[in-house]
Amino acid sequence: MIQFNSPEWFFLVPLLLAAGWKYKRLHLGSPLRLLLLACLLLALAQPVFNKGGSGMDLWVLVDKSNSAAGIPAAGAEEIQAILERHKHSGDSIRLVDFAQSAVLQGHGDPVFAGGTAGTDMEQALAYTMAQMQPDRVNRILMLTDGWPTTPLDHAAEQLIHSRIPVDYRLAVTRREADVRIEQIKTPVRIRPGEAFILEAALAGPPGPSVTVPWQISKNGGPPLKGEATLVNGKATVRLTDRLTTPGCSAYEMTITPQNDPIPENNRAVNFIEVTGGNNILLVSGYDRDPLAPYLEAQGFRVQRPANLRQLDARHLSGAGLVIINNLSASAIPADFLHALDYYVREQGGGLLMCGGRQSFGSGGYFSSPLDELLPVSMEMKKDKMKLITAMSIVLDRSGSMACSVSGGKTKMDLANAGACQTISLLSDQDFISVHAVDSAPHPIVTLTRLGPNRKQMLSTVSRIASMGGGIFIGAGLEAGWKELQRSVAGIRHLILFADADDSEEPANYRKTLKEMVKEGSTVSVIALGTEKSADAALLKEIAELGQGRIFFCDRPGDIPNIFAQETISVARAAFIRERTPLHGTAGWLQIAAQQPAWPPAVDGYNLCYLRDGATAACVTEDGNEAPLISFWNRGAGRAAAVTFAMGGEYGQTIQQWDGYGDLIQTLARWLNRQNPPQGYSVRADAAGDRLRVRLYYSDGNIPRLAEHMPEASMEFSGKEGSRTQNGIWEHLQPGVFQCSFPLPHGVMARGAVRIGNSVIPFGPVSQQVDPEWAMPPAAREAFLDLVSRTGGRERMDLPSIFQEPRPGTSLQLRPFLLWGACALLVLDALFTRTGLLPRRRLPQNLPPTSPTGGK
């Protein structure tokens, strides 16, 4: 079968016939030239000969994402059976499941990398094309809801180039009656005190008007409520607001439509940044922190968070320096402590920790995310250990502890690793006992001095396995206390590790705890979960009655470090409560013009040791030579440690020192982040499930960019922890660079662009609405455009797909016709020049003419 791709050229046939009739000297009617013209005309019409007979590989891509309801396996199997019955001889059908990644059925693990909360159609098409055999006819059939969460530009170009058609059949979805939040519009940045408009766009089914209740809250505060009426499926909610405090504010909107089939798109979050220079975020254990008035007197804007439990990475936006003053690690959310590492190293922020009984090792910062940032080490040397410690560990080994976590480990494995951390950090003179508790306590290690038994203890504890059932809290506390009663150590402490969603049978726990406290013992709790977990209140009460600390951990990977922090804070807490003389060093001159008149002594300090690469500006004269003031550079930022108390009972002498204010302002100015370079601007926004970062630069900065290519990095933090990723710039146009990153829903992103020694921080940024459920019209249009451009169509009649022409088995005749036309052209020239082609001769009876034209 011959098919013409450009048949419009045949309209030249009447014109050629007319030309041949009128201009006979062209000899268009001669066989050779007639054949030449026929070859040229056919070549222009692009004939294709369909040879047929070759097999086709039909790739069926099955959308397993959440929005497609996973396309039930029974439906996919039924479609496969229909296709199998109607395929031709030599055809094959290959099934590929996809969501956030793609998996060829029958090959490899059917688990999707990244899960099913996304429709990465671009990656699925690229994966499928990589599996294809180029010498076969290939065609793609997509069973999907038709809403990709990634752009399809690159996939479309590759499919068109490879001549692979994409057909589709839409899955039945619940979209028709869906009411959703499409977008919250606000300025990206505003100045302090500047009024702005918040505009939320709602969408729903066209038709009768629908009234939808809504509420909007700012930074988790009391919500503002109202109702919106959707007319023809559209409504807009507009509010005005004014923010005066520099930093980042979050606006969360929720709607509660009746009988809504897709509740996943009824919530949206938007961040807005309030500029105002580099502020100081002061996180303090004092009600009236003594540092604040001195900093404010020097022109710094000091922010103190009203609720420490709500601290997160958003509070770092606009802050050039973070000061932690005598506040224990357990009082600060773990997410905030994790965020400080990226804030200092990549975003160029400053960190200052000041001493006291709730700071450094005594405050539980050993092995915390801040440990490696600080210029001092909190791990005590053996010759400084004075009191013997007896510690009892009670571990939950209920059924929930058998659940797997990242890294191929179980929760029980990480709890065992935490207990092993405690065993490793205690000294040879200390005592330890370990109980595993389910429906009863089981002694793993009875109270024993570590000494030569440490290695055997580590081996035994690391093999504790989950045995099912629940955890009987009361029995576990009682068993641990019985072990501690056998010891006369100066420090007796119990660590209870329990699942905050599965802690049962507290029994007479209040009586046990009262007896323990009366005898000088303490109890801390490490709870796997959050403060909103079912049994969180019980575990908080146990820690409070036991006069210990409570740690909530929703990231199992942090469990070993929390055990280490608690062990050091209890057994190796080294806050020297004696008046100690000091002297300054030449290191102070690295950040100041001259040495101050140092005070003769401090009332108390945290015993730490200077790290390699750090600089000490002031040290003790008590034989420890311990650093009292130290600092260093960490990545793009800086960190400092003042190990003596700056306030409270042990800070009286230093507060009376004349140089107290100068010390504070000198450290603050050195640590505070430098101003960003002039002539640059960064904008970050989410599109689908991608984050786009654009760097705008002025013409005057082109020479600087030639010397130092900008570097972009992003930190993504969510329930699974945090990770850092570097970007690759694409030069969009003069004055604009762009790079992009995957941005899943529920993940908050912060970034920094480094140009030479300068840093431009930005963020946080997150998806307003889950891209999997946002389903914007533009995404559906992009999918249908891809289908159209590749030559595919919707397939309601599935067997018809095997009746389509198969491009891979077609023979292009145009090259042969062009070669034939060239050969005929050469022959025509040869015959014309040699006289073999007949010419029209002049009549012989015409009289001759004279040169002048006379007769």
Side-chain angles (χ1 to χ4, degrees), residues 512-853:
T512 303
L513 292 169
K514 183 177 180 180
E515 184 179 344
M516 292 179 70
V517 172
K518 183 179 180 180
E519 296 294 328
S521 297
T522 53
V523 177
S524 290
V525 179
I526 300 175
L528 186 58
T530 68
E531 293 189 59
K532 296 181 180 180
S533 297
D535 299 315
L538 168 64
L539 298 179
K540 288 172 70 174
E541 183 187 7
I542 290 173
E544 183 178 349
L545 294 176
Q547 296 186 2
R549 285 166 290 272
I550 177 75
F551 300 86
F552 286 101
C553 173
D554 58 354
R555 294 190 289 198
D558 290 343
I559 293 173
N561 286 341
I562 295 176
F563 269 93
Q565 293 170 34
E566 179 64 6
T567 302
I568 289 293
S569 64
V570 172
R572 300 292 172 257
F575 181 76
I576 309 300
R577 308 181 189 185
E578 304 168 358
R579 184 174 173 85
T580 305
L582 59 89
H583 70 271
T585 72
W588 181 254
L589 298 178
Q590 293 185 21
I591 63 173
Q594 59 183 9
Q595 286 278 7
W598 296 103
V602 293
D603 298 331
Y605 74 96
N606 299 84
L607 179 58
C608 299
Y609 301 91
L610 190 69
R611 291 187 185 274
D612 293 339
T615 300
C618 182
V619 298
T620 64
E621 289 185 345
D622 58 354
N624 291 325
E625 286 291 315
L628 293 175
I629 300 174
S630 56
F631 49 84
W632 64 354
N633 291 288
R634 300 307 284 162
R638 295 167 173 174
V642 176
T643 58
F644 53 81
M646 297 287 283
E649 177 186 357
Y650 296 97
Q652 297 297 320
T653 298
I654 199 69
Q655 284 183 275
Q656 296 171 5
W657 173 45
D658 292 340
Y660 184 79
D662 288 338
L663 171 67
I664 294 171
Q665 69 139 328
T666 299
L667 287 171
R669 294 195 185 282
W670 185 78
L671 290 167
N672 202 24
R673 179 166 46 207
Q674 305 300 308
N675 290 325
Q678 298 296 316
Y680 298 95
S681 176
V682 175
R683 182 182 179 90
D685 56 67
D689 62 355
R690 305 290 297 180
L691 171 66
R692 298 182 306 183
V693 178
R694 291 189 176 183
L695 171 65
Y696 300 88
Y697 60 90
S698 63
D699 292 343
N701 282 316
I702 293 177
R704 185 177 182 182
L705 290 174
E707 296 178 6
H708 302 284
M709 185 63 186
E711 300 175 5
S713 73
M714 296 296 302
E715 186 201 53
F716 301 93
S717 55
K719 293 182 179 179
E720 301 300 322
S722 60
R723 61 181 177 85
T724 302
Q725 182 178 346
N726 295 325
I728 299 176
W729 290 111
E730 174 187 5
H731 198 190
L732 281 187
Q733 61 189 49
V736 184
F737 283 108
Q738 176 179 290
C739 58
S740 63
F741 305 85
L743 182 60
H745 180 62
V747 171
M748 186 168 64
R750 297 180 296 148
V753 175
R754 186 183 298 190
I755 306 170
N757 295 324
S758 302
V759 176
I760 307 174
F762 60 92
V765 183
S766 70
Q767 296 284 1
Q768 289 191 8
V769 183
D770 188 347
E772 178 65 6
W773 299 101
M775 302 178 179
R780 170 63 67 85
E781 292 169 4
F783 170 69
L784 296 178
D785 180 64
L786 176 139
V787 171
S788 175
R789 293 170 63 191
T790 58
R793 61 185 179 89
E794 185 174 11
R795 292 287 174 182
M796 301 304 296
D797 180 19
L798 291 174
S800 67
I801 200 169
F802 295 108
Q803 309 302 323
E804 293 291 332
R806 304 187 175 191
T809 62
S810 299
L811 179 64
Q812 297 287 340
L813 300 179
R814 186 175 188 177
F816 301 100
L817 292 168
L818 290 175
W819 280 111
C822 290
L824 291 171
L825 184 62
V826 172
L827 287 175
D828 181 74
L830 179 63
F831 291 162
T832 301
R833 297 299 179 186
T834 59
L836 296 177
L837 186 66
R839 296 188 179 184
R840 182 178 178 183
R841 300 182 179 275
L842 294 174
Q844 300 296 325
N845 56 353
L846 291 177
T849 59
S850 66
T852 60

